């Protein structure tokens, strides 16, 4: 015989599916609401839920709540993709912060536009397939331990879609599966472990120095599945850290060790010169994303056959070879840091780096090779003010004629033109 829906026992059992006991202090109990995520609700809130259905009077609702057993919920928050909102971990009920993505995968939709876009920015089919294999593996095997691989995508050119890629991951995997931070500073501190409780951790504007505490932390979090941490106002605890790191930057990595096995490094650039043409490209791409593209991408990741061994060392790309080799020439590293610290300056003389040449006893015959390795290109004699020094420019810039006898201009990656005098920066007083 079926119990009537408005029977006190049936109403109490249904209430216990939604609410969990959070804590008891004296005679006061507080509850957690599975549907809304609200914490520290009191008995009156549960009574109000029963009364709002119109099935029982206030006094009867109070009796139902008092007599019903509610499962106690732990204060520990876990991350279990494809799990229930509340999961049982070794007998303890814990809140699962993962939630089902709003975007539903649809493998019947064509996802080739996504593949072609990745080809546009990565420029190599092997790089694209490796990235898609890793994304697909994590989408299909979310509850399993992560591959110990991190990604570093860089491109000096603005407007190449690195942020759009991060947004696409968030749409496909869901808001709770992707955590994004604007700088690497968030990876430091005792609360950083919470960022690694996701499927992907995306760091925009990444800048990491070699041999720092931050780099050591990145290696540890990338190479381990669990970490013991002493979070602020809490005891030391063992935490699951399933997130894989994706770093987005406008500069090559300057921190990799020679035998690094973790990082997949690739340049992310869109070979479109005009800013107007680039804007038109992304208008079309985003229009596709917002009209079935996200669903198509999720469908691709759900059904793609993964052929790469995602647990092997990261492939050695040409970009990674250059990055790791450069780290072992301290003079090149110092030149790169000088360029980063003087972003507004776009033209340089050899003498700008005299302190570096002196510090490392660099012979004059070797200096041009150091500048080339650091990303500078020789332009030759250039009219600046009333002199014509021999200058170098960044390999992402272009030196163009300004017409007539007024010398040259420097064309920046975004198309902006800067006079030679302004591009030379603070050193122009030498003339």
């Amino acid at each position: 015989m079926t119990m009537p829906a408005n029977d006190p026992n049936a109403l109490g059992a249904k209430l216990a599916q939604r609410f969990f006991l959070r804590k008891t202090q004296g005679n006061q109990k507080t509850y957690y609401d599975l549907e809304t995520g609200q914490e520290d609700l009191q008995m009156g809130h549960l009574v109000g839920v029963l009364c709002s259905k119109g099935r029982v009077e206030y006094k009867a609702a109070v009796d139902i709540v008092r007599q019903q057993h509610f499962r106690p919920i732990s204060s520990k928050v876990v991350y279990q993709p494809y799990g229930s909102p509340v999961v049982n971990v070794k007998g303890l009920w814990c809140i699962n912060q993962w939630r089902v993505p709003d975007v539903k995968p649809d493998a019947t939709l064509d996802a080739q536009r996504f593949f072609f876009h990745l080809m546009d920015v990565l420029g190599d089919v092997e790089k694209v397939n490796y990235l898609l294999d890793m994304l697909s593996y994590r989408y299909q095997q979310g509850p399993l331990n992560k591959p110990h691989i991190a990604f570093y995508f860089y491109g000096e050119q603005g407007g190449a879609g690195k942020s759009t890629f991060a947004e696409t991951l968030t749409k496909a995997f869901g808001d709770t599966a992707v955590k994004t931070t604007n700088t690497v500073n968030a990876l430091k501190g005792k609360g950083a472990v919470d960022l690694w409780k996701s499927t992907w951790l995306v760091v925009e504007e990444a800048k990491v120095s070699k041999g720092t505490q931050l780099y050591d932390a990145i290696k540890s979090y990338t190479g381990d599945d669990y970490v013991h941490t002493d979070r602020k106002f809490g005891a030391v605890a063992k935490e699951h850290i399933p997130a894989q790191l994706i770093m987005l930057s406008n500069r090559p990595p300057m921190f990799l060790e020679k035998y690094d096995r973790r990082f997949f490094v690739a340049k992310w650039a869109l070979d479109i010169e005009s800013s107007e043409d680039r804007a038109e490209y992304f208008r079309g791409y985003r229009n596709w994303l917002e009209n079935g593209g996200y669903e198509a991408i999720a469908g691709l990741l759900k059904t793609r056959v993964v052929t790469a061994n995602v647990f092997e060392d990261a492939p050695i790309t040409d970009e990674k070879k250059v990055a790791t080799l450069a780290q072992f020439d301290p003079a090149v590293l110092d030149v790169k840091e000088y360029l980063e610290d003087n972003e507004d300056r776009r033209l340089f003389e050899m003498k700008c780096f005299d302190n570096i040449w002196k510090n490392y006893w660099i012979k004059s015959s070797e200096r041009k090779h150091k500048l080339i390795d650091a990303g500078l290109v020789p332009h030759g004699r250039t009219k600046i003010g009333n002199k014509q020094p021999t200058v170098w420019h960044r390999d992402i810039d272009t030196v163009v004629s300004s017409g007539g006898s007024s010398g040259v201009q420097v064309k920046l990656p975004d198309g902006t033109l800067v006079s030679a005098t302004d591009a030379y920066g603070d050193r122009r007083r030498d003339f």
Side-chain angles (χ1 to χ4, degrees), residues 13 29 37 48 51 64 115 133 211 279 313-314 344 347 350 378 383 397 413:
K29 295 181 178 180
C51 292
I64 291 173
F115 179 88
D133 274 354
D313 296 349
D344 291 340
L347 291 177
M350 185 72 74
K383 181 177 175 56
D397 296 341

Side-chain angles (χ1 to χ4, degrees), residues 102-285:
D102 293 332
V103 169
K104 305 302 178 187
D106 189 345
T108 65
L109 297 176
D110 188 354
Q112 276 195 323
R113 184 68 182 84
F114 182 53
F115 179 88
F116 291 147
H117 171 65
L118 294 179
M119 281 294 299
D120 288 339
V121 293
L122 294 178
D124 183 274
V125 68
E126 291 185 2
K127 294 175 185 176
V128 172
N129 280 325
Y130 181 77
L131 175 59
L132 286 176
D133 274 354
M134 188 68 76
L135 296 177
S136 299
Y137 177 83
R138 294 311 307 277
Y139 194 95
Q140 297 168 22
Q141 308 293 342
L144 301 182
N145 285 336
K146 68 188 178 192
H148 295 164
I149 300 296
F151 290 84
Y152 192 102
F153 297 119
Y154 72 94
E156 297 89 346
Q157 176 196 58
K162 292 190 291 291
S163 295
T164 299
F165 175 65
E167 294 172 11
T168 301
L169 290 185
T170 302
K171 289 288 188 179
F173 282 84
D175 291 338
T176 58
V178 181
K179 293 186 178 178
T180 303
T181 176
N182 291 330
T183 68
V184 294
N185 292 332
L187 302 184
K188 297 183 290 187
K190 294 183 177 180
V193 67
D194 292 328
L195 290 173
W196 295 84
K197 291 184 175 181
S198 55
T199 301
W200 297 103
L201 170 55
V202 180
V203 180
E204 298 179 330
E205 302 302 326
K207 182 179 180 181
V208 182
S209 298
K210 184 181 177 183
T212 63
Q213 185 179 5
L214 174 59
Y215 178 47
D216 291 338
I218 290 174
K219 290 193 296 182
S220 175
Y221 280 115
T222 298
D224 294 324
D225 298 311
Y226 293 87
V227 64
H228 285 86
T229 179
D230 55 338
R231 65 172 64 251
K232 193 173 183 179
F233 306 121
V236 175
K238 185 177 182 180
E239 302 284 355
H240 186 210
I241 47 172
Q244 277 185 269
L245 179 66
I246 297 177
M247 305 184 81
L248 308 175
S249 180
N250 59 5
R251 57 178 66 84
M254 300 175 63
F255 57 87
L256 296 183
E257 297 173 340
K258 184 175 182 180
Y259 299 107
D260 176 86
R261 298 176 290 105
R262 299 173 180 85
F263 272 91
F264 176 86
V265 180
K267 193 167 185 178
W268 188 287
L270 187 62
D271 188 18
I272 298 179
E273 184 75 17
S274 164
S275 57
E276 292 81 5
D277 291 343
R278 200 178 306 123
E280 181 61 29
Y281 173 94
F282 278 106
R283 274 195 292 269
Y285 180 58

Side-chain angles (χ1 to χ4, degrees), residues 341-384:
D341 294 339
N342 296 273
E343 182 64 29
D344 291 340
R345 189 177 298 174
R346 315 304 290 191
L347 291 177
F348 308 86
E349 273 188 87
M350 185 72 74
K351 66 182 181 181
C352 292
F353 310 98
D354 277 351
N355 288 337
I356 298 175
W357 309 144
K358 293 176 183 178
N359 287 342
Y360 296 103
W361 298 86
I362 305 299
K363 298 178 181 178
S364 57
S365 61
E366 299 174 350
R367 295 173 185 177
K368 66 178 181 179
H369 301 294
K370 306 296 183 186
L371 295 186
I372 291 172
D373 288 343
L376 291 177
V377 177
H379 179 66
R381 299 185 67 81
T382 302
K383 181 177 175 56
I384 301 178

Side-chain angles (χ1 to χ4, degrees), residues 43-44 47-48 50-51 56-66:
M43 188 181 97
V47 170
L50 288 175
C51 292
V56 293
E57 298 296 330
Y58 175 79
K59 185 176 182 306
V62 171
D63 290 339
I64 291 173
V65 175
R66 283 177 175 170

